[in-house]
Amino acid sequence: MCLTLPSLELLLNRIRKAELQNLAELLLTQRMFETFSSKSKMVDYRAAIMKRAGNNKLVRAKLKRYLYSHVTTTATDTRNLLGVNVRFFNKIQNLGLICATYAEKNPFGSGEVKYFTYADIVKCYENAVFKAEKAHYDATHAKNQQRAKKAAETKFAQTKAIIDNLDIRVQKVKSAKLFKNALDSKLKFETEKYYERMPERMDWELPTLQDLQNAPVADQNRWVDNYIRHQLTNYDDIDIEGLVGVHQMYAADLRAKMTAKIRQVYPFYRMDTYVQNYLER
């Protein structure tokens, strides 16, 4: 694992204005300050410092040391940088491998918010005890991940087997009656929804049967499909919610299985062809 810290430019942006001028006096040359004083506009110390650090390795090293020892980050960011969980992080704190620079009351809850300098993070990361403990942690973590992966694969296989063995039943209704039944079902659904949502607060009117009969063909085909799936099959009675992987398998397995089974009885299902080919206008 490689310790990836924020860039010096990002860290410099987190330095307070009061500190920024002191840092500029530490890193910039007298000539640069004389140049600044000859200009009437506000001095961009950050840009000047980064330019100076980019042209001089010693200045860059000084800037790095300063930022690492002055800029702090939260415990969460520190854990992420070190690649450890809360339990392991508490352990290395108890071992004295890393200590918070300061803590303040959590404004959004109970307890304290601890802050750590990047210098302390680097020091901890390079500590031999940390490296040994981290190696053991990584090995254990890898084993746990492998076990979790195998367990998930087993659960996935079990879910797929359940879906493959589902008994999907489809009730047959004459094609000519489907349209009327589908519109009646749609109208009932809209009526229930209308009164559940308190019509006095709504800006739309309850549709009539005639409205549904004059609706676009694409909508009518969808209503027929919905009627078949929800009223003429046991789709709504299938209880597989909560099974591992069920949402990933829904489109590829369950929905495909349901569609294939329904099309054995209603070939036009999900084909957007019922109204055009089966309905006498």
Side-chain angles (χ1 to χ4, degrees):
M1 171 190 162
C2 180
L3 189 63
T4 305
L5 299 176
S7 67
L8 296 184
E9 188 171 7
L10 287 176
L11 293 179
L12 185 61
N13 288 334
R14 291 162 61 181
I15 289 288
R16 294 190 295 269
K17 283 187 177 181
E19 293 180 277
L20 190 59
Q21 188 167 353
N22 294 334
L23 181 59
E25 292 174 355
L26 177 67
L27 300 178
L28 301 182
T29 64
Q30 184 62 34
R31 183 177 178 182
M32 295 180 76
F33 275 104
E34 291 173 356
T35 303
F36 293 151
S37 62
S38 65
K39 298 179 180 179
S40 58
K41 62 182 181 180
M42 186 178 295
V43 177
D44 187 351
Y45 284 120
R46 286 190 174 88
I49 290 172
M50 287 306 301
K51 183 177 180 180
R52 172 82 169 139
N55 296 331
N56 190 305
K57 290 183 179 180
L58 291 177
V59 172
R60 187 174 183 82
K62 286 183 180 180
L63 175 62
K64 183 177 179 179
R65 285 196 299 271
Y66 184 92
L67 293 177
Y68 278 14
S69 60
H70 285 74
V71 180
T72 59
T73 189
T74 63
T76 300
D77 287 340
T78 302
R79 290 199 311 269
N80 291 337
L81 286 170
L82 294 174
V84 299
N85 59 18
V86 175
R87 184 177 179 181
F88 186 86
F89 188 61
N90 290 336
K91 179 180 180 179
I92 62 176
Q93 286 186 89
N94 292 334
L95 290 173
L97 300 181
I98 190 168
C99 299
T101 302
Y102 69 94
E104 61 184 17
K105 189 178 183 304
N106 187 351
F108 304 106
S110 59
E112 293 180 324
V113 179
K114 293 182 178 180
Y115 294 90
F116 301 80
T117 65
Y118 288 93
D120 288 336
I121 295 173
V122 173
K123 183 179 178 181
C124 174
Y125 181 79
E126 295 175 347
N127 186 286
V129 177
F130 173 81
K131 289 181 178 180
E133 293 287 345
K134 183 67 163 54
H136 177 69
Y137 168 86
D138 288 340
T140 303
H141 184 61
K143 289 180 181 178
N144 291 340
Q145 281 189 317
Q146 192 63 30
R147 281 198 296 267
K149 182 181 178 182
K150 288 183 179 179
E153 289 173 350
T154 300
K155 293 290 186 181
F156 264 65
Q158 292 173 348
T159 300
K160 192 173 189 314
I162 290 173
I163 291 176
D164 290 342
N165 293 317
L166 283 175
D167 179 24
I168 298 175
R169 298 183 296 277
V170 183
Q171 178 184 347
K172 184 171 179 59
V173 172
K174 290 183 179 180
S175 297
K177 291 185 177 181
L178 274 177
F179 187 69
K180 180 181 182 305
N181 292 354
L183 293 193
D184 288 343
S185 177
K186 174 65 175 175
L187 185 60
K188 180 182 178 183
F189 172 78
E190 291 294 336
T191 302
E192 291 175 351
K193 183 172 68 172
Y194 180 81
Y195 287 108
E196 283 176 1
R197 296 185 180 180
M198 301 177 67
E200 66 273 11
R201 296 187 181 180
M202 299 175 65
D203 58 358
W204 59 280
E205 296 181 356
L206 180 66
T208 64
L209 184 59
Q210 186 175 2
D211 293 331
L212 301 184
Q213 290 171 339
N214 295 328
V217 170
D219 290 341
Q220 293 176 342
N221 278 322
R222 188 177 71 255
W223 298 337
V224 171
D225 288 345
N226 289 342
Y227 172 72
I228 292 172
R229 183 170 67 255
H230 293 291
Q231 303 298 329
L232 301 182
T233 74
N234 60 331
Y235 174 82
D236 290 340
D237 297 327
I238 296 174
D239 185 14
I240 56 175
E241 187 66 31
L243 295 179
V244 175
V246 70
H247 294 292
Q248 295 94 317
M249 296 181 194
Y250 176 78
D253 293 272
L254 177 58
R255 194 168 187 176
K257 182 181 177 71
M258 179 67 67
T259 298
K261 190 72 174 180
I262 292 175
R263 281 181 180 168
Q264 292 177 7
V265 181
Y266 304 103
F268 48 80
Y269 177 72
R270 295 184 63 82
M271 299 288 285
D272 292 330
T273 59
Y274 169 78
V275 174
Q276 300 92 313
N277 297 335
Y278 292 86
L279 184 64
E280 294 183 5
R281 292 283 187 174

